[in-house]
């Protein structure tokens, strides 16, 4: 082995070993008691091996043996260093006994997350870190601001404990409210908090509230104020990566700089140095949080990978980025964001350069810079698709065209956002013109997400849950891309020398047509035929006959079903679902915690894998069953919107303020806080009123097709007003033998007075409504 090859190989061996050691350190941490001693021993071994590096050409066997010993020594050092780092992180976690009452004072350590009517806030206290969860409404809490919280320490459960562990947190504090108090944290962290706060305020100046929330998501990764429906559209269109700062986002930030520097004639090496300096400025301006730091490192690696002339420099940059991010947090590899960033950068390393050459066709200047931008986007999109399918069981069929259509605005909006964030540090500089322009670009990106995320086939179910499935997905994607690039390279090599200009546009047109045809073919394959499985295409809404109770099954075609309530335990709804061949639910929605609505919830959660448990109020038994089954509990309130393909559930009742006021208190009438939702599938709407009578829940939903009458048809003084506003074409009543006189004669009379047809489960049994593009019918 030559000295030149050995000089390159030993650096890769040392860095690769250290990275591998850091990767496995979370699994070895409990077994390593004296991590720093092991680090010292391994460091001595590494230094010794480096000192005795062969000074003359050696045989392949001897060189390989030496490299293997070096990699093993650095792997041991990496594992020990990772274990020591994890121990230091874990020492900073607050550790209290579950069930005890606690009062904590501290500082907000990260941007709060808002989901399902709840707010989760990481709090840094003098005694350690803790996660606080409280119901809405919660005012905006700036990172670094002081808070006081009182509540009950709760065991997070196995499903959530792993996620909290990655954040260096052990305990979860369930609180009624979060009280902001005077004060901010100090030191360097406090100064960075102030930098971020000024940037956040500036990104909201001179533009609309909706655009401001998007700009904060794009630039700062602060997506807590973005409308839930907008988030769903970004997910369906494959643009969700824009809402959280990632390595791919930082790469996109550098795209416009690449174009600008290319137009100015800056050489490649100088261009690379300028872009890395830009990233170094962006990280502290964005607040320098853990995710921002990781995004900066991964983004820098991606730019080096894309622009570096020698392949080994690209691989070394990627390996160095992995080592650096794992050194900061050895558990980062379990984080989906880290995996997606790493996959995107890896895809850019492998595919962006040949794709750029294919698209550019020998062009230089701004055309080559534009080709680089398109190639970066395509490579990152392809590289992250299998991982998305692995974690979320879906893949966006429109991700590639959506990212390409959004590309002209993405880089400028990131650039403008960074300029605004930087200018905000000087109070005398006006930022409104920049935020106005950035807001227009953000609105354009949101419109692209809405356009591409709207079709029912925008996302396809593709479960790559097993690691072998994930490996197969990457093998197929890599093989397909390699074949296309090889074919294109062969075509280019066979072309006559003088034909470059005459065929360049034709080649680009062929590439564009190929991409569009591939997307259309996959989309067509994902749309089931109208005759498939004897199903009417669209949506099937089934009112199950569970006696005196409610259970409504919503089956959007091509998607996992959603179940609203489970009826009483004796109805055996889980068994019925299994008999229908339903082996997974996208969500279980519990309108309120009473036996005739949630009696079978624990059984359903135990027997049928379920994505989410959706509720406003739920019994501790049901929530515990969800956590035990690995189902994510999601608390919702009026204003929340859930999306399952073309099926949308909009929550109309109860208001978050009513929920917050009643939290922890017994209710005189539990029905008054029952969930009321509207299920929409294209033009069809069904109002599912749970047990919330219109008298207690004054709503004006507007015209609907179907009304599921509240509380099994009990007497309701507000029903006439609701019927006048909703004008339903059909009323459904879920009712069985009961001592209450349900349905009430007054309710039936009100429906009859407005000529609303009524179907009842005690008379008709199970009632099914099939919804298609051309209308709906009842069976």
């Amino acid at each position: 082995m030559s000295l030149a090859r050995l000089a390159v190989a030993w650096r890769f061996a040392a860095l690769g070993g250290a990275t591998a050691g850091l990767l496995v350190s979370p699994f070895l941490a409990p077994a390593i008691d004296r991590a720093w001693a092991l680090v010292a021993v391994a460091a001595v071994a590494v230094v010794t091996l480096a000192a005795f590096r062969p000074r003359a050409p050696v045989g392949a066997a001897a060189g390989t043996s030496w490299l293997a010993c070096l990699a093993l020594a650095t792997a041991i050092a990496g594992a020990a260093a990772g274990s020591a780092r994890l121990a230091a992180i874990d020492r900073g976690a607050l550790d209290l006994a579950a069930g005890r009452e606690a009062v904590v004072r501290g500082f907000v350590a990260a941007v709060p997350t808002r989901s399902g009517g709840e707010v989760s806030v990481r709090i840094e206290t003098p005694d350690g870190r803790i996660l606080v969860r409280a119901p809405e409404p919660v005012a905006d809490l700036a990172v670094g601001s002081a808070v006081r919280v009182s509540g009950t320490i709760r065991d997070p459960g196995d499903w959530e404990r792993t996620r909290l562990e990655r954040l260096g947190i052990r305990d979860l504090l369930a609180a009624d409210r979060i009280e902001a108090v005077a004060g901010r944290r100090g030191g360097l962290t406090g100064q960075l908090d102030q930098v971020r706060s000024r940037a956040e305020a500036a990104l909201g100046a001179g533009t609309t509230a909706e655009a401001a929330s998007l700009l904060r998501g794009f630039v700062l990764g602060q997506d807590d104020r973005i409308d839930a429906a907008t988030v769903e559209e970004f997910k369906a269109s494959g643009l969700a990566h824009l809402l959280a700062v990632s390595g791919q986002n930082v790469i996109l930030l550098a795209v416009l700089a690449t174009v600008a520097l290319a137009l100015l004639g800056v050489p490649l090496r100088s261009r690379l140095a300028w872009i890395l300096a830009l990233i170094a400025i962006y990280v502290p301006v964005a607040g320098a949080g853990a995710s921002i730091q990781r995004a900066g490192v991964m983004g820098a690696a991606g730019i080096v990978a894309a622009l570096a002339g020698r392949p080994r420099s690209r691989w070394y940059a990627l390996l160095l980025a992995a080592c650096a991010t794992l050194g900061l947090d050895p558990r980062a590899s379990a984080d989906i964001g880290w995996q997606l960033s790493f996959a995107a950068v890896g895809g850019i390393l492998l595919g962006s350069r040949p794709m750029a050459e294919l698209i550019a066709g020998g062009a230089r200047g701004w055309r080559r810079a534009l080709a680089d931008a398109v190639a970066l986007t395509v490579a990152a999109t392809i590289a992250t698709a299998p991982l998305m399918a692995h974690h979320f069981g879906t893949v966006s069929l429109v991700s590639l065209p959506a990212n390409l259509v959004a590309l002209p605005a993405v880089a400028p909006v990131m650039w403008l956002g960074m300029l605004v964030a930087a200018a905000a540090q000087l109070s005398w500089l006006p930022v409104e013109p920049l935020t106005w322009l950035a807001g227009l670009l953000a609105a354009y990106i949101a419109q692209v997400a809405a356009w591409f995320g709207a079709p029912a086939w925008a996302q396809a179910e593709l479960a790559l849950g097993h690691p072998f499935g994930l490996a197969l997905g990457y093998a197929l994607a890599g093989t397909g891309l390699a074949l296309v690039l090889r074919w294109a390279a062969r075509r280019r090599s066979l072309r006559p020398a003088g034909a470059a200009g005459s065929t360049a546009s034709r080649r680009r047109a062929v590439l564009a047509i190929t991409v569009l045809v591939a997307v259309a073919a996959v989309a067509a394959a994902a749309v089931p035929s109208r005759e498939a499985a004897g199903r009417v295409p669209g949506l099937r809404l089934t009112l199950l006959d569970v006696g005196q109770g409610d259970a409504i099954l919503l089956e959007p075609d091509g998607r996992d079903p959603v179940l609203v309530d489970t009826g009483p335990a004796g109805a055996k709804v889980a068994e019925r679902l299994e008999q229908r061949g339903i082996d997974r639910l996208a969500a279980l929605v519990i309108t309120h915690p009473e036996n005739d609505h949630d009696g079978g919830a624990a059984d359903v959660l135990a027997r049928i894998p379920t994505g989410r448990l959706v509720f406003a109020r739920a019994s501790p038994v049901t929530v515990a069953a969800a956590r035990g089954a690995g189902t994510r509990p999601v608390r919702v309130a009026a204003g929340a919107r859930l999306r399952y393909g073309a099926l949308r559930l909009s929550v109309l009742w109860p208001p978050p303020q009513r929920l917050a006021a009643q939290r922890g208190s017994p209710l005189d009438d539990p029905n008054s806080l029952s969930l009321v939702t509207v299920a929409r599938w294209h033009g069809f709407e069904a109002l599912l009123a749970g047990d919330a009578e219109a008298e207690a829940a004054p709503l004006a939903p507007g015209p609907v097709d179907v009304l599921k009458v509240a509380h099994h048809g009990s007497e309701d003084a507000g029903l006439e007003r609701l019927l006048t506003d909703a004008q339903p074409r059909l009323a459904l009543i879920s009712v069985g033998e009961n001592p209450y006189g349900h349905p009430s004669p007054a309710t039936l009379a009100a429906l009859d007075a407005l000529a609303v047809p009524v179907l009842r489960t005690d008379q008709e049994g199970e009632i099914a409504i099939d919804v298609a593009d051309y209308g709906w019918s009842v069976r």
Side-chain angles (χ1 to χ4, degrees), residues 99 104 185 196 214 262 308 371 395 432 496 529 580 665:
V104 299
R185 60 182 176 182
R196 183 188 180 96
L214 287 171
V395 61
E432 287 79 6
S529 69
R580 290 170 176 261
S665 303

Side-chain angles (χ1 to χ4, degrees), residues 713-716 719 743-751:
S714 66
E715 187 169 351
D716 182 358
L719 179 60
S744 163
T747 294
L748 295 176
L751 292 164

Side-chain angles (χ1 to χ4, degrees), residues 535 538-542 553-557 561-562 580 582:
R535 286 283 311 279
L539 171 72
R540 174 168 290 168
L541 184 156
T542 305
L553 184 63
L554 300 168
E555 298 176 89
D557 209 21
V562 175
R580 290 170 176 261
I582 293 174

